[in-house]
Amino acid sequence: MSDMNRYHRQMLFQGIGQEGQAHLQSNHVLIVGCGALGSSSAEMLTRAGVGNITIIDRDYVEWTNLQRQHLFTEDDVHQQTPKAIAAASKLKKINSEIDIRPVVIDATAENLAFYVEEADIVIDATDNFDTRFLINDLAHKYRKPWIFGACVGSSGMTFTIIPGQTPCLDCLLKVTPMFGATCDAVGVIGPAVQMVVTHQTTEALKLLIDAKHKINSKLIIFDLWNNHYQTIDVSRAKRTNCTSCGQAPTYPHLSYHGRTKTEVLCGRDTVQIRGKQYPLEMLESKLASYGEVQANPFLVSVDIDEKRLVFFQDGRTFVHGTNSIEDAKKLYYQIVG
């Protein structure tokens, strides 16, 4: 039985109250990405009592994550725990009353559609625009609000996108320049992450309790280090002929030709290959002839000639130590045949 006393201070807040708290507990949030933004958003919404949270992430915990990615520990690094699994484990200890579902997959048009359709809102916590464009098209196809967020260095931006009302991500990109740099290239500080998370989760709470009149309709851009904070009215950016949110949408990013199949992970000296699913036990046995193998229920990894290969349960493979898709595929096929 739920102990509502844990939400006492939140229910005292006039904007939420008992009725709003009941809405939170009956709603479902999808968080796509569980790095800096995703782990912090998940923790804040878990503590707030959102009844159902699904976390999708394709990666596992590494040392560089610990500086800014909440919920993860050194033990998660040693165990190569997938981020979604590590986050869910910690979140269940914070609030055992809610349903937290970790999903270790690479978001594609096919597998992401199911999760977007069943959620009430979507929070963008990704690190690439390929996935954001998928979210954008799926959110408009299924009429789900989603909250864009990004940060790099000491800067960040966020915008709440409501199908049928606001400009979509494609519309925004036509009028607003986005960050060109990445965290891997110029770094990022924790406070910038938390500022984006603060805006995203506040907007999420408003949407979940149906406080539509409180939704921030402006694009927020800030630079904490240089003391800049700006809100921009982008309402005129919405285009009637937009292929994602216009009068006759075709959702181009959901088509086969609009997707990335094999990709270099931004700034990480890593290539991702989406291939056939192999039993992890079989891979563990096969990889043993190449070197020392690390394994857990979600992935198997081995170091070969200054490269590390990490095979995931869903058929993806990370080839660390190269930005060459050709070299990565060559090594991959050398092992799996």
Side-chain angles (χ1 to χ4, degrees), residues 12 14 42 74 77 95 150 183 186 208 256 280 291:
L12 284 178
Q14 189 176 11
E74 293 182 0
V77 177
N95 192 342
C183 296
V186 302
L208 292 169
Y256 178 81
L280 294 184

Side-chain angles (χ1 to χ4, degrees), residues 155-176:
S155 301
M157 61 172 58
T158 181
F159 182 64
T160 302
I161 298 174
I162 302 178
Q165 298 180 34
T166 69
C168 76
L169 184 63
D170 259 358
C171 293
L172 280 182
L173 287 173
K174 297 292 190 294
V175 299
T176 306

Side-chain angles (χ1 to χ4, degrees), residues 38-68:
S39 58
S40 292
S41 292
E43 179 179 354
M44 199 170 293
L45 295 176
T46 293
R47 293 186 185 277
V50 173
N52 295 273
I53 300 174
T54 297
I55 303 169
I56 292 178
D57 194 276
R58 66 185 179 183
D59 211 346
Y60 58 93
V61 184
E62 297 183 283
W63 285 109
T64 57
N65 302 150
L66 300 183
Q67 165 256 339
R68 69 199 179 282

Side-chain angles (χ1 to χ4, degrees), residues 251-270:
Y251 311 119
H253 301 286
L254 304 184
S255 69
Y256 178 81
H257 296 291
R259 307 177 205 161
T260 304
K261 291 84 182 175
T262 303
E263 60 186 308
V264 178
L265 300 189
C266 184
R268 290 187 54 189
D269 201 26
T270 299

Side-chain angles (χ1 to χ4, degrees), residues 272-289:
Q272 174 179 265
I273 299 172
R274 298 174 189 156
K276 182 180 176 182
Q277 287 180 273
Y278 296 97
L280 294 184
E281 297 82 1
M282 184 205 80
L283 287 170
E284 186 175 357
S285 175
K286 194 167 187 177
L287 293 172
S289 62

Side-chain angles (χ1 to χ4, degrees), residues 6 15 24 27 45 100 117 125 198 242 263 268 277-278 284 301 307 334:
R6 75 189 302 158
L24 293 181
N27 277 325
L45 295 176
I100 300 170
E117 186 175 12
T198 296
C242 176
E263 60 186 308
R268 290 187 54 189
Q277 287 180 273
Y278 296 97
E284 186 175 357
S301 70
K307 295 181 178 64
Q334 176 187 327

Side-chain angles (χ1 to χ4, degrees), residues 38-325:
S39 58
S40 292
S41 292
E43 179 179 354
M44 199 170 293
L45 295 176
T46 293
R47 293 186 185 277
V50 173
N52 295 273
I53 300 174
T54 297
I55 303 169
I56 292 178
D57 194 276
R58 66 185 179 183
D59 211 346
Y60 58 93
V61 184
E62 297 183 283
W63 285 109
T64 57
N65 302 150
L66 300 183
Q67 165 256 339
R68 69 199 179 282
Q69 298 188 11
H70 287 208
L71 303 178
F72 305 141
T73 66
E74 293 182 0
D75 189 53
D76 294 322
V77 177
H78 292 305
Q79 299 297 324
Q80 292 187 319
T81 310
K83 290 181 178 180
I85 302 297
S89 175
K90 311 300 189 306
L91 294 172
K92 288 173 183 176
K93 294 177 181 178
I94 292 171
N95 192 342
S96 60
E97 297 177 347
I98 69 175
D99 182 16
I100 300 170
R101 178 169 36 164
V103 183
V104 185
I105 58 171
D106 184 34
T108 65
E110 291 83 8
N111 61 31
L112 190 58
F114 167 78
Y115 297 103
V116 172
E117 186 175 12
E118 71 170 9
D120 292 298
I121 67 169
V122 182
I123 293 181
D124 161 39
T126 65
D127 60 1
N128 67 89
F129 274 91
D130 285 334
T131 307
R132 289 186 179 115
F133 285 134
L134 283 182
I135 295 171
N136 189 59
D137 275 6
L138 287 169
H140 283 83
K141 181 177 180 178
Y142 295 111
R143 312 298 287 179
K144 306 289 184 176
W146 73 281
I147 308 166
F148 162 73
C151 59
V152 64
S154 60
S155 301
M157 61 172 58
T158 181
F159 182 64
T160 302
I161 298 174
I162 302 178
Q165 298 180 34
T166 69
C168 76
L169 184 63
D170 259 358
C171 293
L172 280 182
L173 287 173
K174 297 292 190 294
V175 299
T176 306
M178 297 291 174
F179 298 137
T182 67
C183 296
D184 300 286
V186 302
V188 62
I189 58 173
V193 172
Q194 294 308 309
M195 178 68 85
V196 174
V197 169
T198 296
H199 284 290
Q200 285 188 297
T201 53
T202 303
E203 291 298 288
L205 293 176
K206 295 174 187 177
L207 288 166
L208 292 169
I209 69 169
D210 203 27
K212 296 177 181 177
H213 60 293
K214 293 293 185 180
I215 299 298
N216 191 334
S217 62
K218 296 182 179 180
L219 174 68
I220 296 171
I221 302 176
F222 65 83
D223 183 339
L224 295 178
W225 202 259
N226 295 301
N227 307 308
H228 296 156
Y229 189 94
Q230 188 176 13
T231 59
I232 304 173
D233 183 353
V234 292
S235 57
R236 295 179 65 182
K238 184 169 176 57
R239 297 174 296 124
T240 57
N241 64 343
C242 176
T243 54
S244 293
C245 74
Q247 294 178 348
T250 58
Y251 311 119
H253 301 286
L254 304 184
S255 69
Y256 178 81
H257 296 291
R259 307 177 205 161
T260 304
K261 291 84 182 175
T262 303
E263 60 186 308
V264 178
L265 300 189
C266 184
R268 290 187 54 189
D269 201 26
T270 299
V271 173
Q272 174 179 265
I273 299 172
R274 298 174 189 156
K276 182 180 176 182
Q277 287 180 273
Y278 296 97
L280 294 184
E281 297 82 1
M282 184 205 80
L283 287 170
E284 186 175 357
S285 175
K286 194 167 187 177
L287 293 172
S289 62
Y290 291 92
E292 184 177 351
V293 176
Q294 283 188 278
N296 62 40
F298 312 100
L299 57 85
V300 177
S301 70
V302 66
D303 292 331
I304 304 175
D305 298 330
E306 299 183 348
K307 295 181 178 64
R308 179 196 288 176
L309 282 82
V310 182
F311 294 84
F312 290 84
Q313 209 172 28
D314 65 353
R316 290 178 299 117
T317 301
F318 284 177
V319 183
H320 296 293
T322 181
N323 281 324
S324 167
I325 291 176

